[in-house]
Amino acid sequence: QKEVEQNSGPLSVPEGAIASLNCTYSDRGSQSFFWYRQYSGKSPELIMFIYSNGDKEDGRFTAQLNKASQYVSLLIRDSQPSDSATYLCAVYPMFSGGYNKLIFGAGTRLAVHP
Amino acid sequence: GAVVSQHPSRVICKSGTSVKIECRSLDFQATTMFWYRQFPKQSLMLMATSNEGSKATYEQGVEKDKFLINHASLTLSTLTVTSAHPEDSSFYICSARGGLAGAKQSYNEQFFGPGTRLTVL
């Protein structure tokens, strides 16, 4: 089992819709969760982080964390073509000694079509 | 978020030469820096973790004598690809983590530089 799993996609949504990106992780003791956006040919950009169960909103983005289900998601409201990118889920697992190195999922490619 | 720069952004070199890539945290002190490599259409691959003033920790399968990492200060880490070969051609990305109390980012968050595209002929 991979430590951080994401559906590779592509996830195709129409402009203006809600895009829902999902991620599961294997280390139950994980404490910190991050979402990065990576445009083709560019480096990842941190867009959200969440540490507590529940929802965290920032503009059009909402991160959701459910530690009991070992599940973290990212919702993008009013999706725009400029949101088309690969979204990487990243987790700090406890087994690595706590806050050591992020474990990345392989990423989900999002395509927002006009 | 915090700003991390990389230099150069793009480099083309001949096989057998060495290439140095610099990574700087511009507005915070990076206690830890990470070096990644990414091949086209593939996932990020962590190469090594470096803490300021100590030796880097390399991931399994990464040759430490080929990829020399120096983290001499809290704002600068360098990666030197020694005796580069065409198979080393890739997108090299650094990231940095760390900060002072009251800084605009917490210790946990990791920020990436813009990357360096290396082409070895």
Side-chain angles (χ1 to χ4, degrees):
Chain A
Q1 180 189 7
K2 291 182 181 176
E3 296 168 72
V4 179
E5 293 207 52
Q6 295 181 256
N7 187 316
S8 62
L11 173 65
S12 183
V13 301
E15 184 174 357
I18 296 175
S20 177
L21 302 157
N22 304 315
C23 172
T24 58
Y25 58 95
S26 60
D27 186 340
R28 186 171 288 279
S30 299
Q31 297 294 319
S32 308
F33 308 87
F34 303 82
W35 282 100
Y36 288 83
R37 175 176 63 197
Q38 186 175 24
Y39 291 112
S40 180
K42 302 295 185 182
S43 66
E45 172 192 10
L46 179 63
I47 54 173
M48 288 285 290
F49 58 88
I50 186 166
Y51 301 149
S52 304
N53 271 332
D55 295 0
K56 179 181 178 182
E57 187 174 317
D58 184 1
R60 295 187 296 114
F61 299 99
T62 298
Q64 299 175 317
L65 175 61
N66 183 325
K67 290 186 179 181
S69 300
Q70 295 174 234
Y71 175 96
V72 58
S73 65
L74 179 70
L75 301 178
I76 306 174
R77 289 181 297 282
D78 188 24
S79 295
Q80 301 296 311
S82 58
D83 295 326
S84 299
T86 297
Y87 289 80
L88 304 171
C89 172
V91 175
Y92 275 121
M94 284 302 291
F95 73 81
S96 70
Y99 302 101
N100 187 7
K101 60 183 181 182
L102 276 177
I103 304 299
F104 282 87
T108 298
R109 190 158 61 90
L110 173 66
V112 181
H113 54 86
Chain B
V3 180
V4 177
S5 71
Q6 259 183 265
H7 178 80
S9 58
R10 185 179 297 268
V11 59
I12 300 172
C13 69
K14 292 182 179 179
S15 184
T17 60
S18 294
V19 175
K20 180 185 281 189
I21 302 169
E22 290 187 351
C23 176
R24 293 181 186 272
S25 56
L26 298 185
D27 54 359
F28 69 104
Q29 293 185 331
T31 51
T32 306
M33 286 186 168
F34 304 86
W35 288 95
Y36 294 83
R37 181 167 56 179
Q38 189 174 38
F39 293 106
K41 299 191 186 304
Q42 292 190 22
S43 304
L44 284 173
M45 187 194 83
L46 179 65
M47 299 174 67
T49 302
S50 75
N51 292 296
E52 185 266 337
S54 61
K55 289 184 179 180
T57 302
Y58 289 81
E59 295 299 299
Q60 193 171 8
V62 178
E63 298 174 59
K64 61 180 182 181
D65 294 330
K66 180 170 183 62
F67 299 100
L68 303 178
I69 292 172
N70 183 282
H71 190 165
S73 76
L74 284 172
T75 60
L76 173 64
S77 176
T78 60
L79 167 68
T80 301
V81 183
T82 62
S83 187
H85 288 94
E87 58 266 29
D88 298 323
S89 298
S90 187
F91 190 41
Y92 291 86
I93 316 171
C94 73
S95 70
R97 182 183 73 199
L100 300 175
K104 56 185 173 182
Q105 82 297 327
S106 71
Y107 177 76
N108 283 343
E109 292 139 53
Q110 192 172 315
F111 298 93
F112 283 85
T116 297
R117 196 161 302 281
L118 171 64
T119 302
V120 185
L121 302 176

